[in-house]
Amino acid sequence: MSWWMFLALVHAAEPTPEAAGEAPSDTEAAASAAPEGPSGPDRSGPPEVPPPEVLVLAEPELHAIGATQVHVVPVPGVRKVEVRVRPGIGQITLMGAPGLEGRAVGWLADAATADHDAAELSGLEDLHNLDVYSSMSLHHGTLGVEVPLEDLDVGLELLSEMVRTAAFPKAETRRWVTNQRRHYTLTGPSSLSSVAGSAVSYGWFPSDHPYGARPDLAVLDGIDGEGLAATYGRWLQEAPLEVLVVGDVSYADVAPALEAMLQGLGTDGVPEPELPVEIPGGLRVVAVDMPGQEQVGLRLRLSAPPQDDADEVAMWAGNHVFGGHFLSRLNTNLREDKGWTYGARSSYQRGAHYGMVTVDVDVAVANAAAAIAEIEAEVGRLVEQGVTEPELGLAYRSLVQSWNTTRGTASDAIDRYSDALDRREALADARARRVALAEVRGEAVAAAAANWFHDEAPRLWVVVGDREALAPQLEPLGWPIEWITPEDAILGRF
Amino acid sequence: MLLPALAADPFHVDATVETLDNGLVVIVAEDDRTDTVALHLTYGVGARDERAGEFGAAHLFEHLMFEGSANVPTNMFDEWLTAAGGSNNAYTSEDVTAYHMSFPSGALDLALFLESDRMGFLDAGLDETNVANQQSVVLQERAESYAEPNGRDWDALGAISFPSDHPYHHSVIGTIADVEGFEVDAVRDFWRRHYRPDNAVLALVGAVDTEVALERVRHWFGDVPRPEAPLQRATEPLPTPIRGQRGVIEDDVEERTLWLTWPAVPRHHPDEAPLDLLANVLSNGRGTRLDDALYYESELASSVAMFDPFSERAGLTMVVVSSESTPLKKLEKKVVKAIERIPKHPPTEAELDRARRSVRGQLLDGLERPEDVAEHLADCYRQLGEADCVGEQWARYEAVTVDDVVRVARKYLIDKEPNRLSNVPRGDDGALAGSTPVELP
């Protein structure tokens, strides 16, 4: 029996309170008194909704320009076109290690070109309602443009300028360096959410692994536009390139511009793989002292299956039930039932070699210890009891609906197709994973949670708040707490 | 069917409007790019409608609308909609409270059932437990927001920019005492006063057939009663705007921030477009005057922005500028100087064209997603009495001349004393002289 049939039967089979021997509540009494005359609608229960179908998304059309594969996804009716050039190596391969210089290359490539200084480029973006953007992550990068169809020529021209002649002007580079210093020394340490986010990231990934590399502010002294430009040029020479085109266009509409843009760039090869990473097992607790802070940021990170692991789909569904939407267990418990937080959520991130579930809750300091206990209890409940069929039904429909809106805008569509390229999978496989969600059962979720959330598995708690107020609450937990400063959290100095 | 993106007039949305017998205005527009429908239901009630002692009521009430109604038990609103693949949220402003949903087309009846039930029969679902719970959630929402750097600034700006008897003086989130003090009877009274079909506009945009959608709306909302008492919303003249207030917030920040506010015009006033374009000429990224003077070319400031939060009954023009080291007095002088230069150095046609086209792009971006189109349609109708108003909005921007921009700079900003809010690190003496602490009870 499918879960939506199960849901329908659950609703149909629920006894009325009277039949179960219970007094009706005020709400139920009022419901029975609500107007339902012969001319009015039947309000006795929710109208039926047909089960969802998982939209079939076409595979991209494949073309080749030299060594570069061009993936074209026609999406009729959308106003904008989005084109992304995707270098298949990033900071780790290009620079030897991740760091601020690599981030600067990605951040500043879209600032100016040989033909247009920063002010002109910014003005052109306003004039044509387009956005030229760039980034370099650890393993790859993105150089892209989003542009209305009627200005496609302008958009492609500016993208080509960025790809071939990004200028890295002195003034923009100096400003970026200043802003980085400000973030790491001033604004970052004063923001509870930034402090908590950094503490989780650096507390999880070991400092001797590229994923846990700490920012070295001394590097900022040596960053200059010429050096960045040289690195950028090398990046586009040495990286295997892919291009993704999404919008109400055909390959013929973009081919001449792409051919000119890509001439002499890129190399044979495939995008670099992610790295294996070993997270030390057991509990780690990092507490960040922010004197005077009345709120407490609570973050819990747990190990989880990587993509394509046998437990991935069960964990995906389980996380959705656990903290992935408004009706999740965490939000229902901590917000709707107890009123302790404005929102409690969890996210499930995974790559080729790692996976992690991260809980994110802010509460008043008086509720910190109790909230920690509730979150741990919800983790335990997931392990011991799994999830129910109705809960799985909610997760399935939500995740299917987000897939089914893929073709609403070029931006939605390109994100979906980029995800597929990141995983090196066909859209049919991505769709199959959604379809497989319907087959997940509660026991599978419990088994996956047990496999990954056990006591010897990596488990990181981050608590951010006023130490004086927090310490008495944390002491009874008997945790091995590392107290650090907000500055240490932002810079990963622990 | 004509998709917005393909229409000859890119701003045109082919929408059908109908008013039900009970006064509910319904707007439907078709867009079948995905099997999704967006529903946007706006009620003409916001913080400005709150009486003394009930500050925060409109926003608290927004939370309570999800707690169940006569035929939708507690927590089932979200559960039934989510089980159908839908999602929803809501927001409250000074002027309105809006509820928005997105769902697969097969869930149209469910969505209309849920919305009509809480419009017509919510009071049966209000109880002490639900009210108490959402009071806690709202107070925590306020606490979380205030805990972030500059998290209290926006509410403090209302307090110093509008006199105490002005409907925009108090914050949308409300006071702690008022939020804590609400009782079920007061909440019911608030609902009866404001949540009525003749005070609402419902927009449906997406994978619907217009005739079918209208028929289903009539079916579900037709029995929602229209109260006999006439709808009352305050329209009395507003108190005179205030100028020259100086407030200060001490915060857990490392930089100082200065806000300047000038009384301006309400939304849809003839001077709205030239004021907005003036703000765009002065501050809209690299190559605009204020941004270049304070950030890109001098690095006197770590950030700067100018914008116009126009509301339905009043509006402000605002500048916000931050710096770790530049004194706020110096930053203010720079800002004022850039504004005062406007008559002698009016915007060039190129500057004005860039500002205009930037607005045009934003308007068109706002017509891409069914959710945004539904919001536009509902807002347009509520404020102007016609659903398809974005093109008219653009026409007003298109008609603005350099002289218009200079005129509004003189009329609203030049030689007009602003209100000033300093946000400084705790214990720092860098606030503008004469500033007094702004209390947010």
Side-chain angles (χ1 to χ4, degrees), chain A residues 224-246:
Chain A
D224 64 68
E226 285 179 14
L228 298 180
T231 304
Y232 179 77
R234 192 162 59 79
W235 186 29
L236 291 172
Q237 294 286 338
E238 297 178 4
L241 302 179
E242 292 173 314
V243 178
L244 184 53
V245 180
V246 173

PDB file of all heavy atoms in Angstrom, chain A residues 224-246:
ATOM      1  N   ASP A 224      47.272  40.662  -4.301  1.00  0.00           N
ATOM      2  CA  ASP A 224      47.198  41.822  -5.203  1.00  0.00           C
ATOM      3  C   ASP A 224      46.553  41.403  -6.519  1.00  0.00           C
ATOM      4  O   ASP A 224      46.487  40.211  -6.858  1.00  0.00           O
ATOM      5  CB  ASP A 224      48.580  42.426  -5.457  1.00  0.00           C
ATOM      6  CG  ASP A 224      49.490  41.469  -6.184  1.00  0.00           C
ATOM      7  OD1 ASP A 224      49.228  41.182  -7.374  1.00  0.00           O
ATOM      8  OD2 ASP A 224      50.448  40.961  -5.577  1.00  0.00           O
ATOM      9  N   GLY A 225      46.067  42.380  -7.243  1.00  0.00           N
ATOM     10  CA  GLY A 225      45.303  42.117  -8.452  1.00  0.00           C
ATOM     11  C   GLY A 225      46.083  41.344  -9.502  1.00  0.00           C
ATOM     12  O   GLY A 225      45.537  40.446 -10.157  1.00  0.00           O
ATOM     13  N   GLU A 226      47.353  41.670  -9.660  1.00  0.00           N
ATOM     14  CA  GLU A 226      48.138  40.983 -10.690  1.00  0.00           C
ATOM     15  C   GLU A 226      48.257  39.491 -10.385  1.00  0.00           C
ATOM     16  O   GLU A 226      48.142  38.643 -11.271  1.00  0.00           O
ATOM     17  CB  GLU A 226      49.531  41.608 -10.787  1.00  0.00           C
ATOM     18  CG  GLU A 226      49.516  42.961 -11.485  1.00  0.00           C
ATOM     19  CD  GLU A 226      50.908  43.572 -11.546  1.00  0.00           C
ATOM     20  OE1 GLU A 226      51.893  42.847 -11.297  1.00  0.00           O
ATOM     21  OE2 GLU A 226      50.991  44.773 -11.842  1.00  0.00           O
ATOM     22  N   GLY A 227      48.534  39.200  -9.120  1.00  0.00           N
ATOM     23  CA  GLY A 227      48.651  37.789  -8.730  1.00  0.00           C
ATOM     24  C   GLY A 227      47.338  37.046  -8.929  1.00  0.00           C
ATOM     25  O   GLY A 227      47.312  35.906  -9.416  1.00  0.00           O
ATOM     26  N   LEU A 228      46.239  37.693  -8.577  1.00  0.00           N
ATOM     27  CA  LEU A 228      44.926  37.057  -8.740  1.00  0.00           C
ATOM     28  C   LEU A 228      44.632  36.807 -10.221  1.00  0.00           C
ATOM     29  O   LEU A 228      44.111  35.751 -10.599  1.00  0.00           O
ATOM     30  CB  LEU A 228      43.827  37.926  -8.128  1.00  0.00           C
ATOM     31  CG  LEU A 228      43.903  38.179  -6.621  1.00  0.00           C
ATOM     32  CD1 LEU A 228      42.734  39.053  -6.160  1.00  0.00           C
ATOM     33  CD2 LEU A 228      43.912  36.876  -5.824  1.00  0.00           C
ATOM     34  N   ALA A 229      44.968  37.789 -11.045  1.00  0.00           N
ATOM     35  CA  ALA A 229      44.714  37.637 -12.484  1.00  0.00           C
ATOM     36  C   ALA A 229      45.503  36.474 -13.060  1.00  0.00           C
ATOM     37  O   ALA A 229      45.010  35.707 -13.899  1.00  0.00           O
ATOM     38  CB  ALA A 229      45.057  38.939 -13.206  1.00  0.00           C
ATOM     39  N   ALA A 230      46.750  36.318 -12.602  1.00  0.00           N
ATOM     40  CA  ALA A 230      47.583  35.216 -13.095  1.00  0.00           C
ATOM     41  C   ALA A 230      46.989  33.868 -12.682  1.00  0.00           C
ATOM     42  O   ALA A 230      46.925  32.918 -13.481  1.00  0.00           O
ATOM     43  CB  ALA A 230      49.003  35.370 -12.559  1.00  0.00           C
ATOM     44  N   THR A 231      46.554  33.801 -11.421  1.00  0.00           N
ATOM     45  CA  THR A 231      45.948  32.552 -10.938  1.00  0.00           C
ATOM     46  C   THR A 231      44.668  32.245 -11.698  1.00  0.00           C
ATOM     47  O   THR A 231      44.395  31.092 -12.070  1.00  0.00           O
ATOM     48  CB  THR A 231      45.645  32.659  -9.430  1.00  0.00           C
ATOM     49  OG1 THR A 231      46.850  32.995  -8.748  1.00  0.00           O
ATOM     50  CG2 THR A 231      45.092  31.357  -8.879  1.00  0.00           C
ATOM     51  N   TYR A 232      43.902  33.277 -11.941  1.00  0.00           N
ATOM     52  CA  TYR A 232      42.634  33.111 -12.661  1.00  0.00           C
ATOM     53  C   TYR A 232      42.890  32.586 -14.080  1.00  0.00           C
ATOM     54  O   TYR A 232      42.222  31.650 -14.542  1.00  0.00           O
ATOM     55  CB  TYR A 232      41.920  34.461 -12.706  1.00  0.00           C
ATOM     56  CG  TYR A 232      40.597  34.460 -13.438  1.00  0.00           C
ATOM     57  CD1 TYR A 232      39.460  33.936 -12.847  1.00  0.00           C
ATOM     58  CD2 TYR A 232      40.480  35.020 -14.709  1.00  0.00           C
ATOM     59  CE1 TYR A 232      38.246  33.952 -13.516  1.00  0.00           C
ATOM     60  CE2 TYR A 232      39.263  35.044 -15.375  1.00  0.00           C
ATOM     61  CZ  TYR A 232      38.154  34.513 -14.771  1.00  0.00           C
ATOM     62  OH  TYR A 232      36.949  34.528 -15.424  1.00  0.00           O
ATOM     63  N   GLY A 233      43.874  33.179 -14.735  1.00  0.00           N
ATOM     64  CA  GLY A 233      44.201  32.723 -16.089  1.00  0.00           C
ATOM     65  C   GLY A 233      44.617  31.264 -16.105  1.00  0.00           C
ATOM     66  O   GLY A 233      44.209  30.487 -16.977  1.00  0.00           O
ATOM     67  N   ARG A 234      45.422  30.912 -15.116  1.00  0.00           N
ATOM     68  CA  ARG A 234      45.878  29.516 -15.014  1.00  0.00           C
ATOM     69  C   ARG A 234      44.690  28.584 -14.753  1.00  0.00           C
ATOM     70  O   ARG A 234      44.614  27.477 -15.296  1.00  0.00           O
ATOM     71  CB  ARG A 234      46.896  29.438 -13.873  1.00  0.00           C
ATOM     72  CG  ARG A 234      47.675  28.144 -13.809  1.00  0.00           C
ATOM     73  CD  ARG A 234      48.922  28.304 -12.959  1.00  0.00           C
ATOM     74  NE  ARG A 234      48.671  28.704 -11.587  1.00  0.00           N
ATOM     75  CZ  ARG A 234      48.266  27.871 -10.629  1.00  0.00           C
ATOM     76  NH1 ARG A 234      48.075  26.596 -10.888  1.00  0.00           N
ATOM     77  NH2 ARG A 234      48.064  28.308  -9.390  1.00  0.00           N
ATOM     78  N   TRP A 235      43.767  29.052 -13.938  1.00  0.00           N
ATOM     79  CA  TRP A 235      42.584  28.248 -13.601  1.00  0.00           C
ATOM     80  C   TRP A 235      41.828  27.856 -14.877  1.00  0.00           C
ATOM     81  O   TRP A 235      41.507  26.680 -15.090  1.00  0.00           O
ATOM     82  CB  TRP A 235      41.686  29.079 -12.682  1.00  0.00           C
ATOM     83  CG  TRP A 235      40.481  28.374 -12.102  1.00  0.00           C
ATOM     84  CD1 TRP A 235      40.346  27.049 -11.818  1.00  0.00           C
ATOM     85  CD2 TRP A 235      39.260  28.990 -11.702  1.00  0.00           C
ATOM     86  NE1 TRP A 235      39.120  26.802 -11.261  1.00  0.00           N
ATOM     87  CE2 TRP A 235      38.422  27.972 -11.183  1.00  0.00           C
ATOM     88  CE3 TRP A 235      38.789  30.298 -11.713  1.00  0.00           C
ATOM     89  CZ2 TRP A 235      37.141  28.232 -10.688  1.00  0.00           C
ATOM     90  CZ3 TRP A 235      37.513  30.557 -11.207  1.00  0.00           C
ATOM     91  CH2 TRP A 235      36.704  29.534 -10.711  1.00  0.00           C
ATOM     92  N   LEU A 236      41.578  28.842 -15.733  1.00  0.00           N
ATOM     93  CA  LEU A 236      40.775  28.555 -16.920  1.00  0.00           C
ATOM     94  C   LEU A 236      41.570  27.805 -17.986  1.00  0.00           C
ATOM     95  O   LEU A 236      40.984  27.232 -18.909  1.00  0.00           O
ATOM     96  CB  LEU A 236      40.192  29.851 -17.480  1.00  0.00           C
ATOM     97  CG  LEU A 236      39.127  30.434 -16.547  1.00  0.00           C
ATOM     98  CD1 LEU A 236      38.697  31.820 -16.995  1.00  0.00           C
ATOM     99  CD2 LEU A 236      37.905  29.519 -16.479  1.00  0.00           C
ATOM    100  N   GLN A 237      42.875  27.812 -17.860  1.00  0.00           N
ATOM    101  CA  GLN A 237      43.693  26.994 -18.772  1.00  0.00           C
ATOM    102  C   GLN A 237      43.733  25.543 -18.303  1.00  0.00           C
ATOM    103  O   GLN A 237      43.662  24.614 -19.109  1.00  0.00           O
ATOM    104  CB  GLN A 237      45.142  27.536 -18.813  1.00  0.00           C
ATOM    105  CG  GLN A 237      45.302  28.913 -19.415  1.00  0.00           C
ATOM    106  CD  GLN A 237      45.149  28.910 -20.914  1.00  0.00           C
ATOM    107  OE1 GLN A 237      45.321  27.880 -21.548  1.00  0.00           O
ATOM    108  NE2 GLN A 237      44.801  30.056 -21.485  1.00  0.00           N
ATOM    109  N   GLU A 238      43.879  25.344 -17.005  1.00  0.00           N
ATOM    110  CA  GLU A 238      44.164  24.011 -16.478  1.00  0.00           C
ATOM    111  C   GLU A 238      42.921  23.209 -16.128  1.00  0.00           C
ATOM    112  O   GLU A 238      43.001  21.996 -15.957  1.00  0.00           O
ATOM    113  CB  GLU A 238      45.053  24.136 -15.231  1.00  0.00           C
ATOM    114  CG  GLU A 238      46.410  24.740 -15.528  1.00  0.00           C
ATOM    115  CD  GLU A 238      47.270  24.904 -14.279  1.00  0.00           C
ATOM    116  OE1 GLU A 238      46.834  24.472 -13.195  1.00  0.00           O
ATOM    117  OE2 GLU A 238      48.365  25.476 -14.412  1.00  0.00           O
ATOM    118  N   ALA A 239      41.793  23.878 -16.002  1.00  0.00           N
ATOM    119  CA  ALA A 239      40.585  23.170 -15.554  1.00  0.00           C
ATOM    120  C   ALA A 239      39.832  22.554 -16.727  1.00  0.00           C
ATOM    121  O   ALA A 239      39.738  23.171 -17.794  1.00  0.00           O
ATOM    122  CB  ALA A 239      39.662  24.142 -14.820  1.00  0.00           C
ATOM    123  N   PRO A 240      39.290  21.360 -16.534  1.00  0.00           N
ATOM    124  CA  PRO A 240      38.288  20.901 -17.500  1.00  0.00           C
ATOM    125  C   PRO A 240      37.049  21.785 -17.329  1.00  0.00           C
ATOM    126  O   PRO A 240      36.658  22.097 -16.208  1.00  0.00           O
ATOM    127  CB  PRO A 240      38.007  19.460 -17.060  1.00  0.00           C
ATOM    128  CG  PRO A 240      38.398  19.398 -15.626  1.00  0.00           C
ATOM    129  CD  PRO A 240      39.496  20.417 -15.420  1.00  0.00           C
ATOM    130  N   LEU A 241      36.476  22.222 -18.432  1.00  0.00           N
ATOM    131  CA  LEU A 241      35.327  23.140 -18.360  1.00  0.00           C
ATOM    132  C   LEU A 241      34.047  22.449 -18.814  1.00  0.00           C
ATOM    133  O   LEU A 241      34.082  21.603 -19.726  1.00  0.00           O
ATOM    134  CB  LEU A 241      35.563  24.370 -19.244  1.00  0.00           C
ATOM    135  CG  LEU A 241      36.799  25.217 -18.956  1.00  0.00           C
ATOM    136  CD1 LEU A 241      36.882  26.388 -19.944  1.00  0.00           C
ATOM    137  CD2 LEU A 241      36.781  25.757 -17.527  1.00  0.00           C
ATOM    138  N   GLU A 242      32.966  22.841 -18.218  1.00  0.00           N
ATOM    139  CA  GLU A 242      31.624  22.464 -18.689  1.00  0.00           C
ATOM    140  C   GLU A 242      30.826  23.755 -18.788  1.00  0.00           C
ATOM    141  O   GLU A 242      31.076  24.702 -18.038  1.00  0.00           O
ATOM    142  CB  GLU A 242      30.916  21.560 -17.687  1.00  0.00           C
ATOM    143  CG  GLU A 242      31.511  20.185 -17.522  1.00  0.00           C
ATOM    144  CD  GLU A 242      30.827  19.432 -16.386  1.00  0.00           C
ATOM    145  OE1 GLU A 242      30.633  20.027 -15.317  1.00  0.00           O
ATOM    146  OE2 GLU A 242      30.505  18.261 -16.587  1.00  0.00           O
ATOM    147  N   VAL A 243      29.858  23.761 -19.682  1.00  0.00           N
ATOM    148  CA  VAL A 243      28.959  24.916 -19.779  1.00  0.00           C
ATOM    149  C   VAL A 243      27.526  24.405 -19.679  1.00  0.00           C
ATOM    150  O   VAL A 243      27.175  23.385 -20.280  1.00  0.00           O
ATOM    151  CB  VAL A 243      29.145  25.679 -21.109  1.00  0.00           C
ATOM    152  CG1 VAL A 243      28.154  26.843 -21.197  1.00  0.00           C
ATOM    153  CG2 VAL A 243      30.572  26.200 -21.229  1.00  0.00           C
ATOM    154  N   LEU A 244      26.736  25.112 -18.903  1.00  0.00           N
ATOM    155  CA  LEU A 244      25.321  24.769 -18.744  1.00  0.00           C
ATOM    156  C   LEU A 244      24.499  25.982 -19.188  1.00  0.00           C
ATOM    157  O   LEU A 244      24.729  27.099 -18.713  1.00  0.00           O
ATOM    158  CB  LEU A 244      25.044  24.436 -17.278  1.00  0.00           C
ATOM    159  CG  LEU A 244      23.660  23.954 -16.869  1.00  0.00           C
ATOM    160  CD1 LEU A 244      23.201  22.769 -17.702  1.00  0.00           C
ATOM    161  CD2 LEU A 244      23.666  23.575 -15.390  1.00  0.00           C
ATOM    162  N   VAL A 245      23.588  25.761 -20.119  1.00  0.00           N
ATOM    163  CA  VAL A 245      22.743  26.835 -20.650  1.00  0.00           C
ATOM    164  C   VAL A 245      21.284  26.466 -20.384  1.00  0.00           C
ATOM    165  O   VAL A 245      20.837  25.386 -20.783  1.00  0.00           O
ATOM    166  CB  VAL A 245      22.950  27.003 -22.173  1.00  0.00           C
ATOM    167  CG1 VAL A 245      22.066  28.131 -22.711  1.00  0.00           C
ATOM    168  CG2 VAL A 245      24.413  27.251 -22.499  1.00  0.00           C
ATOM    169  N   VAL A 246      20.554  27.362 -19.723  1.00  0.00           N
ATOM    170  CA  VAL A 246      19.153  27.078 -19.392  1.00  0.00           C
ATOM    171  C   VAL A 246      18.296  28.290 -19.759  1.00  0.00           C
ATOM    172  O   VAL A 246      18.645  29.422 -19.431  1.00  0.00           O
ATOM    173  CB  VAL A 246      19.002  26.774 -17.882  1.00  0.00           C
ATOM    174  CG1 VAL A 246      17.536  26.645 -17.513  1.00  0.00           C
ATOM    175  CG2 VAL A 246      19.741  25.501 -17.522  1.00  0.00           C
TER     176      VAL A 246
END
